[in-house]
Amino acid sequence: MKRIGYILTEEKLSLDVCKTAIVNAAKHKHKRKSVIKILERLDEKAEVLRKIILEEKYKPAEYKVCHIIDHPSKKERLLHKPKFFPDQCVHHIIILLLREELMKRFDPYVIASIPKRGAHYGYKALRKWLERDKTGTKYCLKCDIKKCYDNIRPAVVVQAVGRFVKDKKFLRLVAKVAYSLPSLPLGNYTSGWFENLVLCPLDRALRSKKCVVRYLRYVDDFIVLGPNKRKLRQLIDFIEGVLAKLGLRLKDNWQVFKVDDRGIDIIGYRFFRKFVLLRRRNLLSLMRCIRAYKKHPTAKLARSLLSRIGMCKWFSSYNFWQKYCLDLNFKIIKRRAYLCV
């Protein structure tokens, strides 16, 4: 495929593009004083942003570092928060200018960090595969990439973008964002897109194998479905070789198993041929939330319960509903949640 040029030009980087980037970056941040000030002077700030990028005066500011606990997995993660203006706005501009080209290169069943390809996109695909193709989904190879974000280096990101972009000015802008930290920062809008781009060689390599009937990747977790257990096992050395070229490693906990025996545990659910169950830790979390609300029915717990109870729609929840949810009055819960009664 030919490399594309003339990305960062005065015509393509118009004021409208800069305004769109600022508005997109401000989503879910409208209560922050710093964001409100920028939005009140949108035209002026869009002009400043355009000038900074075209004249190559952009320099990434220092990140605000936060330690957070990922509640489902109970893992401690290091979150790097970039400054809203101009850093987050520049990140959005990079993706706005590249989005169409990136979408052409992504595998159709790579999900997360891509618009309209969230967990339920993968949910529907997996259910369809298991119900309609019993032979091709007899065995599953389940793998995880070890510390994926921490091990993706800036040079690998710039090289991945450089494979299909020849605009040197744009590549210098990407390099400034990529080299702002020694690895891919958890917190940048660009990070999810760059991670998917870096792993494109893995997606294409696995698709080219005849023993791979179905393939799905969710961030750094991926599953390969096929009819032959031995051939799926043989893929491990091949996968490790592809990842080694990208400076990544496979976790040692990879598994090959029969789908009918234990189901596929991914994207928060356990998938069987005729039904779906909620992952154990997610189910326990939902049960704790229901018990806590029944004990102390506060507005905060009501909102938490309403945000979680929707999961019941997506798994075989009849017995669970009969046991834990029949005595819940959702009219009262909604009133308490939104009116703080």
Side-chain angles (χ1 to χ4, degrees), residues 34-301:
S34 58
V35 176
I36 292 168
K37 287 178 183 178
I38 299 292
L39 292 175
E40 284 173 351
R41 300 157 61 195
L42 185 60
D43 292 339
E44 182 189 333
K45 289 296 180 181
E47 185 62 56
V48 171
L49 184 63
R50 184 171 183 264
K51 190 177 178 182
I52 287 171
I53 295 172
L54 288 175
E55 294 179 3
E56 299 190 60
K57 292 181 179 178
Y58 168 67
K59 289 183 181 178
E62 285 189 17
Y63 290 93
K64 184 181 177 183
V65 182
C66 301
H67 291 269
I68 61 166
I69 301 294
D70 183 18
H71 288 290
S73 60
K74 304 298 180 187
K75 291 179 183 176
E76 186 179 344
R77 301 193 188 277
L78 202 62
L79 187 69
H80 291 84
K81 293 183 178 179
K83 194 176 175 183
F84 176 74
F85 188 89
D87 296 79
Q88 290 185 34
C89 302
V90 169
H91 300 166
H92 278 265
I93 280 175
I94 288 172
I95 301 305
L96 275 172
L97 296 174
L98 267 191
R99 181 168 163 171
E100 286 184 15
E101 293 298 325
L102 288 171
M103 294 298 287
K104 289 176 188 175
R105 283 157 178 80
F106 291 160
D107 187 88
Y109 291 105
V110 165
I111 58 176
S113 305
I114 302 173
K116 298 182 181 179
R117 286 204 210 166
H120 289 298
Y121 177 87
Y123 174 98
K124 289 172 185 175
L126 260 174
R127 290 217 67 180
K128 183 176 74 175
W129 295 344
L130 293 178
E131 287 174 8
R132 298 182 185 178
D133 186 8
K134 191 171 181 179
T135 307
T137 59
K138 187 176 181 181
Y139 294 101
C140 175
L141 166 63
K142 189 172 184 293
C143 301
D144 189 5
I145 299 169
K146 190 172 184 179
K147 294 185 178 179
C148 186
Y149 272 58
D150 293 338
N151 291 323
I152 294 178
R153 300 299 169 209
V156 178
V157 173
V158 177
Q159 187 182 19
V161 177
R163 286 196 194 102
F164 67 95
V165 172
K166 61 182 179 183
D167 186 334
K168 291 182 180 178
K169 196 173 180 179
F170 184 77
L171 286 173
R172 285 195 291 272
L173 179 64
V174 170
K176 284 179 182 178
V177 174
Y179 280 94
S180 60
L181 276 181
S183 61
L184 209 57
L186 188 66
N188 273 9
Y189 175 66
T190 52
S191 293
W193 293 86
F194 286 161
E195 184 257 356
N196 283 327
L197 180 63
V198 166
L199 292 177
C200 274
L202 173 68
D203 303 331
R204 285 195 294 269
L206 284 171
R207 284 285 182 195
S208 66
K209 292 291 181 181
K210 290 181 181 178
C211 62
V212 177
V213 177
R214 305 289 182 184
Y215 170 73
L216 182 139
R217 179 167 62 78
Y218 180 72
V219 192
D220 55 355
D221 293 339
F222 60 93
I223 56 167
V224 180
L225 301 173
N228 192 304
K229 187 177 182 179
R230 179 176 56 83
K231 287 182 179 178
L232 288 182
R233 281 183 176 276
Q234 290 171 355
L235 279 178
I236 293 299
D237 290 337
F238 174 75
I239 292 169
E240 286 178 338
V242 175
L243 290 176
K245 291 176 184 176
L246 303 172
L248 299 171
R249 288 175 56 199
L250 202 63
K251 272 190 183 177
D252 295 331
N253 62 350
W254 60 269
Q255 310 162 52
V256 179
F257 55 88
K258 196 172 182 180
V259 172
D260 290 338
D261 289 350
R262 49 183 282 194
I264 302 168
D265 187 347
I266 196 169
I267 57 175
Y269 298 92
R270 288 175 61 205
F271 293 86
F272 296 85
R273 297 210 182 271
K274 300 294 182 184
F275 59 93
V276 178
L277 298 178
L278 195 62
R279 184 179 282 169
R280 182 178 173 80
R281 67 185 180 209
N282 294 348
L283 187 66
L284 291 173
S285 175
L286 178 57
M287 288 163 63
R288 288 190 199 105
C289 185
I290 292 170
R291 288 195 191 107
Y293 174 79
K294 287 178 179 179
K295 196 172 182 181
H296 300 289
T298 62
K300 186 179 177 182
L301 284 172

